[in-house]
Amino acid sequence: MKKLLIFLILIAILGGALVATCPDREKHLEAVSGVMSGVINKEMDDSGIDGKIASIGTMVAVSAVDKYLKSNLIIRDHTIYSIGVISYEDEFRMVSVGVLNHVFTISEDDARQLLKDKLTLPKLGIN
């Protein structure tokens, strides 16, 4: 009986810790935006464009992606963890998982593919 009581108390403590440390929307937005910005910076470096044009292009692309994420990133809160998904043309793509106050995001390769396939916005100059 004593072991069962200790086990239940440990489960309650673990559950309380998970609930208290579930990341919010801002943490997800910051983490996904950081990955996307890194991909954009790397792509601009690899493109061979130097100088002010590259830095202006990077700024515009990062700003466009940030605005897109702010309006299309949906956080599904499951009390002990949260999932970030992007809605694009009636399709959902998971881009982050948050647990214990940390947000795990997609890899840079997946982010690059997402930018090329799903987030191609000609009017914003993202290809």
Side-chain angles (χ1 to χ4, degrees):
M1 182 69 176
K2 195 173 190 180
K3 288 182 181 181
L4 178 64
L5 183 61
I6 291 172
F7 177 73
L8 291 175
I9 290 172
L10 288 176
I11 294 294
I13 290 171
L14 179 63
L18 287 170
V19 169
T21 60
C22 186
D24 61 356
R25 185 177 197 284
E26 293 303 316
K27 287 220 181 229
H28 280 272
L29 187 61
E30 181 181 315
V32 174
S33 180
V35 170
M36 296 291 189
S37 296
V39 168
I40 290 170
N41 286 331
K42 189 172 183 179
E43 287 292 320
M44 288 303 258
D45 288 344
D46 292 345
S47 70
I49 301 172
D50 293 326
K52 292 181 181 180
I53 294 175
S55 62
I56 291 171
T58 301
M59 255 185 359
V60 168
V62 168
S63 175
V65 168
D66 283 343
K67 286 180 184 178
Y68 181 83
L69 287 174
K70 284 181 183 178
S71 64
N72 291 310
L73 182 66
I74 300 167
I75 303 302
R76 295 182 176 167
D77 189 5
H78 297 275
T79 309
I80 60 173
Y81 69 95
S82 55
I83 297 174
V85 295
I86 291 178
S87 169
Y88 182 73
E89 292 183 355
D90 297 330
E91 184 179 325
F92 293 100
R93 173 77 189 260
M94 185 174 72
V95 293
S96 63
V97 175
V99 67
L100 290 174
N101 210 25
H102 183 73
V103 177
F104 301 94
T105 61
I106 57 176
S107 68
E108 285 189 7
D109 292 334
D110 289 341
R112 182 176 293 107
Q113 195 64 37
L114 184 66
L115 282 171
K116 288 182 179 178
D117 292 345
K118 305 290 182 195
L119 304 181
T120 302
L121 304 172
K123 64 184 177 184
L124 297 177
I126 301 172
N127 295 332

